[in-house]
Amino acid sequence: MAGHKPGRAPAPLRPEWLFLIIIGAFVAVIAALYGWWTWYVDRQIEWIGTTALALLVLLCAMSGGYLLKLSREIELRPEDDPHAEVDEGAGEYGHFSPWSWWPLVCGIAIALIFLGPAVQQWWVTGIGAAVGIVGV
């Protein structure tokens, strides 16, 4: 297959962690450029946008770093092997209980928790927290 080096085994999760690390590096450059640009134009840094971009860099770095660490601990998946067949990925993926109503209760709780500050009615947040405690 083109692109596959015969002497090198494919690494598990390599596309996932590499993607996140590259996105994190790109956003780090954008954050530095954004901070410099706002300082250049207004003679002060716009802290909200710069902080949000810096937190996005940390999010990508943490997620990519975790996947990099995990890739050294797990075995090769069928989707990591360029010569794998489709049926190698078939099988049990876990358990899902379609008859459970608790995910709906948790979703309603989260909706109420975020609805409270949006409409400036903090008591709605309290009701959402109570529903969330029952749901969890």
Side-chain angles (χ1 to χ4, degrees):
M1 179 173 261
H4 179 67
K5 297 176 184 169
R8 184 175 169 191
L13 294 174
R14 187 173 196 283
E16 289 90 348
W17 67 258
L18 188 62
F19 175 76
L20 286 170
I21 297 296
I22 289 172
I23 293 296
F26 172 75
V27 174
V29 170
I30 295 301
L33 182 66
Y34 182 80
W36 174 81
W37 190 275
T38 58
W39 175 81
Y40 181 77
V41 171
D42 296 331
R43 294 292 178 218
Q44 65 181 1
I45 295 177
E46 197 276 313
W47 288 107
I48 301 298
T50 307
T51 303
L53 288 170
L55 289 174
L56 182 58
V57 170
L58 290 176
L59 175 69
C60 289
M62 284 188 333
S63 301
Y66 172 73
L67 290 178
L68 176 62
K69 177 188 168 297
L70 186 65
S71 71
R72 296 177 179 165
E73 297 173 0
I74 66 171
E75 294 188 22
L76 197 62
R77 304 172 299 167
E79 51 266 22
D80 293 323
D81 184 9
H83 301 295
E85 297 293 327
V86 173
D87 61 351
E88 291 180 33
E92 185 81 22
Y93 279 105
H95 178 71
F96 172 70
S97 56
W99 54 85
S100 176
W101 286 88
W102 295 111
L104 177 64
V105 173
C106 291
I108 290 171
I110 293 295
L112 289 173
I113 287 171
F114 283 101
L115 178 67
V119 296
Q120 296 179 353
Q121 300 294 322
W122 296 99
W123 58 272
V124 177
T125 301
I127 292 174
V131 171
I133 289 171
V134 171
V136 173

